[in-house]
Amino acid sequence: HRVHVQGRVTSPGGNKNGTGGLFGRIWGANITACSADVEIESGEDYVGGIFGYDTGASTVSDCWTAGHVKAGSKVGGIGGGFIKADSEMYNCFSLMTVEGSFQYAGILGHANLDAKGNNTTNTPNNHIEGCIAWNDEIKSRATDGAEHYSSGVIVGFTATQNYLAKCFRKADIAFSECPVNAELGYVVTNQGNAGPGAPLVVGTNTYDFAYHGLAAPADATVTSLARSLGWSDSVWDFSTPIPTLKAGTGGGDENVNAGGQLPDYPEHDFFN
């Protein structure tokens, strides 16, 4: 509860070790009212602003991130991946720039069982609801012109029968999937609520299993969207266009870094 981290995280990574602004790997956790303003770079997969990957039955809610995350695959502004059943995410937003090779997204990179299977028949029972992608940019690190695995604005690669509801993206968000050959890139489209009874309708590309949510009205702010979604005003301060977590939510202080150990880093060209 109520942890804020500001700083830089670098990791050579590992296929499933996980790298995050707060947590590398979580399992059965309840993460709420946490935030990270961080620069993260990993040479591997499962990398996110709050957590790297979740091995099942965790709930992440009322969190936000800013900064920059740059990694391999399964990369997200909030989390790298839900790889088992029954994990959930609610009422989170990200301002991060996200860079990945494939399965990257503004909120969650991967939301399907970490096993071979059909995205249209798997039923992970993952919930991604009420989240807002207000990222500065979501872009591919690919340098070839080939079709790559799915990437999206809210979720990069999802089982179509997951619970996906009431998520929004900035109307003019900068998103790229295949910069070398735009014709193979995935088109960002509006996608409403989905679930087992009404599976997500996805694109026609071979690996297009992305969830982009709905474009916000042109004059919307994160605060106006959050209030329309019913985010709690006992948790969030809605006095500015970008909401902040109220001091003391979950026990803590908005302006104190976790443990007082992480300094504020100046601007630099770390990711250039």
Side-chain angles (χ1 to χ4, degrees):
H1 290 262
R2 204 51 201 91
V3 176
H4 176 69
V5 170
Q6 186 171 9
R8 180 168 59 184
V9 178
T10 59
S11 170
N15 188 31
K16 294 180 185 175
N17 290 340
T19 303
L22 275 74
F23 308 97
R25 172 182 172 180
I26 59 175
W27 178 26
N30 182 14
I31 300 171
T32 186
C34 293
S35 55
D37 186 352
V38 290
E39 295 180 346
I40 304 173
E41 184 165 22
S42 173
E44 293 291 345
D45 306 338
Y46 291 106
V47 182
I50 296 292
F51 67 94
Y53 80 104
D54 169 65
T55 56
S58 292
T59 298
V60 180
S61 63
D62 295 304
C63 294
W64 68 264
T65 62
H68 194 149
V69 57
K70 180 178 181 180
S73 70
K74 304 170 180 71
V75 186
I78 299 294
F82 287 160
I83 69 170
K84 300 295 181 183
D86 302 323
S87 296
E88 304 175 336
M89 185 183 297
Y90 303 100
N91 302 355
C92 296
F93 76 88
S94 180
L95 309 175
M96 277 190 136
T97 292
V98 177
E99 292 187 66
S101 299
F102 54 90
Q103 294 186 31
Y104 55 89
I107 300 297
L108 184 66
H110 176 95
N112 194 9
L113 303 175
D114 188 34
K116 292 181 179 179
N118 191 316
N119 277 53
T120 61
T121 58
N122 284 349
T123 55
N125 195 39
N126 298 146
H127 291 244
I128 300 93
E129 302 180 17
C131 294
I132 302 170
W134 220 248
N135 311 75
D136 285 337
E137 188 174 13
I138 303 168
K139 60 184 179 179
S140 172
R141 297 180 64 191
T143 58
D144 59 26
E147 181 183 357
H148 294 273
Y149 277 98
S150 179
S151 301
V153 179
I154 304 296
V155 184
F157 187 72
T158 181
T160 61
Q161 296 195 57
N162 273 330
Y163 293 89
L164 308 163
K166 298 184 293 185
C167 291
F168 287 93
R169 66 180 187 273
K170 185 163 54 175
D172 59 350
I173 199 164
F175 174 86
S176 67
E177 197 284 324
C178 189
V180 178
N181 187 345
E183 292 182 359
L184 290 177
Y186 306 129
V187 176
V188 174
T189 58
N190 282 332
Q191 294 167 301
N193 298 350
L200 182 70
V201 177
V202 295
T204 57
N205 295 58
T206 305
Y207 299 114
D208 189 358
F209 289 93
Y211 173 53
H212 304 295
L214 298 172
D219 60 349
T221 64
V222 178
T223 286
S224 67
L225 291 170
R227 297 188 79 168
S228 74
L229 291 168
W231 292 18
S232 173
D233 59 9
S234 67
V235 175
W236 295 96
D237 180 346
F238 294 125
S239 61
T240 58
I242 302 296
T244 57
L245 292 164
K246 288 187 173 179
T249 304
D253 189 323
E254 172 70 19
N255 298 313
V256 177
N257 291 331
Q261 300 171 9
L262 295 176
D264 293 345
Y265 284 86
E267 295 292 328
H268 53 71
D269 60 356
F270 179 70
F271 289 97
N272 292 343

